[in-house]
């Protein structure tokens, strides 16, 4: 690691203040060009500890930048991993207040819920499917704390991979009932289809993103516990939203889930 404990704590406080006050910042690698991957995840962990210290719970995990569409959109080359705090959760069809966010975007995701722990290294698609209780559709609202969504991978990891809000809904299904590679999604904004895709857009198979997450945690001596909700990553590029927008995700055989922005 290149950063000392005080610097990590200071950067975590800065990024979390930006989140809670809905104000943007320049990317942290501008001031700390030598920070490494462990520093980036240490800052993310320090933000997580700040939330827990205030009484929040961590209710899920996420993989991000798992599709070529998203990697191309953001100019990066590898997935990233983060977590979901309790107050990120939005009920099906409910309102998201844009005043609490900086520049929200939405993306369609396949959501996994596990029934057994997943451990890495060596976790693979088969292990993920065997450990999955059910899948369902979800919309992630991302809101990078970096100005104009301009960042590099280390900065975005420290910023908890732009995690902000999410909704899950539709129909739940065991993974054996759905071909997760060919399952189709249509994302609608104000009744107009704005993005289309299929599950294979996520690393060839969305369970591969969950396996990568388990392997990432395994390298840190952690695992994905049973009962964990996991966003496996945007299937399409992210779509910007504004007050007044209604977003609906249709997922083949899995119903639909929606959000309103006010
Ligand atoms: O969930 C995601 O794919 C977001 C990862 C972070 C990059 C971004 O803000 O688009
Ligand atoms: Mg996402």
């Amino acid at each position: 690691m290149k950063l000392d404990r005080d610097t990590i704590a200071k950067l975590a406080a800065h990024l979390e203040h930006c989140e809670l006050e809905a104000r943007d910042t320049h990317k942290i690698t501008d001031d700390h060009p030598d920070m490494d991957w462990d520093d980036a995840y240490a800052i993310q962990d320090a933000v997580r500890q700040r939330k827990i210290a205030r009484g929040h719970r961590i209710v899920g995990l996420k993989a991000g930048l798992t599709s070529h569409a998203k990697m191309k959109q953001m100019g990066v080359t590898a997935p990233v991993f983060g977590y979901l705090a309790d107050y990120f959760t939005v009920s099906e069809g409910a309102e998201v207040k844009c005043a609490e966010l900086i520049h929200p975007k939405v993306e369609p995701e396949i959501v996994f819920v596990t029934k057994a722990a997943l451990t890495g290294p060596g976790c693979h698609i088969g292990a993920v499917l065997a450990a999955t209780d059910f899948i369902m559709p979800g919309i992630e609202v991302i809101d990078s704390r970096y100005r104009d969504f301009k960042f590099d991978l280390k900065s975005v990891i420290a910023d908890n991979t732009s995690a902000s809000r999410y909704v899950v809904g539709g129909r739940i299904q065991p993974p054996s009932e759905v071909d997760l590679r060919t399952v189709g999604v249509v994302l609608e904004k104000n009744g107009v289809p704005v993005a289309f895709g299929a599950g294979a857009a996520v690393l060839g198979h969305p369970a591969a993103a969950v396996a990568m997450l388990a392997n990432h945690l395994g390298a840190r001596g952690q695992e994905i516990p049973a009962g964990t909700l996991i966003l496996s990553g945007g299937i399409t590029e992210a779509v910007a939203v504004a007050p007044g927008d209604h977003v609906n995700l249709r997922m083949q055989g899995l119903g639909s889930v929606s959000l309103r922005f006010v």
Side-chain angles (χ1 to χ4, degrees), residues 61 113-119 131 217 222-230:
L61 300 174
V113 176
T114 58
K115 60 184 176 189
L118 280 165
T119 48
L217 292 175
Q222 300 163 22
E223 64 176 17
I224 302 176
T228 303
L229 180 147
I230 305 159

Side-chain angles (χ1 to χ4, degrees), residues 120-142:
C123 187
H124 50 75
I125 291 174
V128 172
L129 294 177
T132 297
D133 195 359
F134 56 86
I135 55 152
M136 60 185 157
I139 301 171
E140 183 178 21
V141 182
I142 54 169

Side-chain angles (χ1 to χ4, degrees), residues 134-166:
F134 56 86
I135 55 152
M136 60 185 157
I139 301 171
E140 183 178 21
V141 182
I142 54 169
D143 191 39
S144 175
R145 269 52 73 169
Y146 299 118
R147 198 153 302 145
D148 302 324
F149 270 85
K150 293 276 188 298
F151 47 68
D152 52 23
L153 274 183
K154 288 172 190 163
S155 294
V156 81
I157 288 166
D159 185 32
N160 191 24
T161 69
S162 309
S164 159
R165 300 287 185 271
Y166 73 97

Side-chain angles (χ1 to χ4, degrees), residues 62-66 70 107-109 140-142 161 231-234:
K62 63 167 281 189
L65 300 174
T66 51
K70 284 244 28 182
E107 48 188 30
E109 308 221 4
E140 183 178 21
V141 182
I142 54 169
T161 69
L231 303 185
S232 61

Side-chain angles (χ1 to χ4, degrees), residues 158-181:
D159 185 32
N160 191 24
T161 69
S162 309
S164 159
R165 300 287 185 271
Y166 73 97
V167 61
V168 298
R171 293 174 54 205
I172 66 170
Q173 287 283 8
S176 56
E177 292 301 309
V178 184
D179 182 343
L180 288 169
R181 295 163 305 164

